Amino acid sequence: MTHPNTKTITSVLDILKKTYTDHPMYEAFKHNPFQMLVAVILSQRATDAMTIPVARTLFALAPNAQTMLRLSTHELEAIIHPIGFYHAKTAALQKLCENLLKHHNGNVPSTEQELLALPQVGRKTANIMLTLFFNTPRIAVDVHVHRITHRLGWVQTKTPDETEHVLTALIPKEYIKDVNRVFVRHGQTLCKPVSPICSQCPIHVYCPRIDVITSR
């Protein structure tokens, strides 16, 4: 596989940065590491549009680990219920809060090793936190980043971890902090899994549309 040159990569990312200037989840909780971490966990298998109002309702009652643990399981499940998988997510948040209070005085830790040791925190979530709050830009690879970089021909990998490794070597350091944000927004808006809206895509001239399933 021939990797794209740096000029192509930066051109694509510059266009996407101008097209998508914000990210609803990042904007909603960017001032509070604990709330962002909880929101990311809540967002698993749920859209941002579903997650953000539920998270705001939760944080109005329980803005930190201490207050969240004071909620009963029934109360927490009732709040989370609208976004689905509420039994599992409630248990996950309780374990997370217990861990944060026991090992980190209720605060979100700032290193990769400590973040990955937290319940429900994998590489994607850890990388989001490191990038947004701890001045350690990393590429958080979710389904959107994985899918779109394959379509662009930037990677030919099987797992998110492999994709992260390849992209980290390809993308100039000053752009790494923007990768997840712009590709997630692009994936949510135009570059969808099936029938992506290629006719409206701002980076279509750079995209070979590898393995695209029925475009519009």
Side-chain angles (χ1 to χ4, degrees), residues 32-35 37-38 63-67 69 96-109 118:
N32 189 303
F34 172 76
Q35 293 182 8
L37 181 57
V38 169
N64 53 49
Q66 292 93 330
T67 52
L69 269 186
L96 173 67
C97 292
E98 289 170 356
N99 186 291
L100 290 176
L101 288 168
K102 181 177 180 180
H103 299 291
H104 305 287
N105 198 32
N107 299 313
V108 177
L118 296 174

Side-chain angles (χ1 to χ4, degrees), residues 95-192:
K95 290 178 182 177
L96 173 67
C97 292
E98 289 170 356
N99 186 291
L100 290 176
L101 288 168
K102 181 177 180 180
H103 299 291
H104 305 287
N105 198 32
N107 299 313
V108 177
S110 60
T111 69
E112 178 183 37
Q113 183 178 2
E114 290 173 316
L115 284 166
L116 290 174
L118 296 174
Q120 293 299 117
V121 175
R123 289 197 63 80
K124 182 194 80 170
T125 301
N127 286 352
I128 288 173
M129 299 303 296
L130 289 168
T131 300
L132 292 180
F133 295 103
F134 302 117
N135 198 31
T136 312
R138 300 286 177 85
I139 297 176
V141 178
D142 64 359
V143 292
H144 300 292
V145 176
H146 192 65
R147 177 178 71 254
I148 297 170
T149 54
H150 273 78
R151 286 178 172 173
L152 287 167
W154 292 9
V155 299
Q156 193 176 43
T157 54
K158 293 182 179 180
T159 69
D161 286 355
E162 291 174 351
T163 299
E164 179 190 341
H165 178 76
V166 174
L167 290 178
T168 300
L170 279 178
I171 294 173
K173 289 183 180 180
E174 62 268 28
Y175 286 86
I176 282 178
K177 68 182 184 300
D178 300 303
V179 172
N180 180 267
R181 177 179 62 82
V182 298
F183 279 131
V184 168
R185 295 286 285 118
H186 191 49
Q188 293 171 336
T189 307
L190 296 175
C191 198
K192 300 181 179 183

Side-chain angles (χ1 to χ4, degrees), residues 2-60:
T2 302
H3 290 301
N5 59 46
T6 300
K7 184 177 180 180
T8 296
I9 290 172
T10 57
S11 295
V12 166
L13 291 172
D14 281 336
I15 292 169
L16 292 179
K17 284 168 63 179
K18 291 177 182 177
T19 304
Y20 307 108
T21 56
D22 62 7
H23 185 296
M25 185 78 78
Y26 292 0
E27 292 301 311
F29 307 114
K30 65 183 180 182
H31 300 298
N32 189 303
F34 172 76
Q35 293 182 8
M36 178 63 76
L37 181 57
V38 169
V40 171
I41 291 172
L42 290 176
S43 72
Q44 294 170 6
R45 301 185 184 182
T47 65
D48 289 350
M50 295 168 61
T51 302
I52 291 171
V54 169
R56 283 178 169 153
T57 298
L58 174 60
F59 299 144

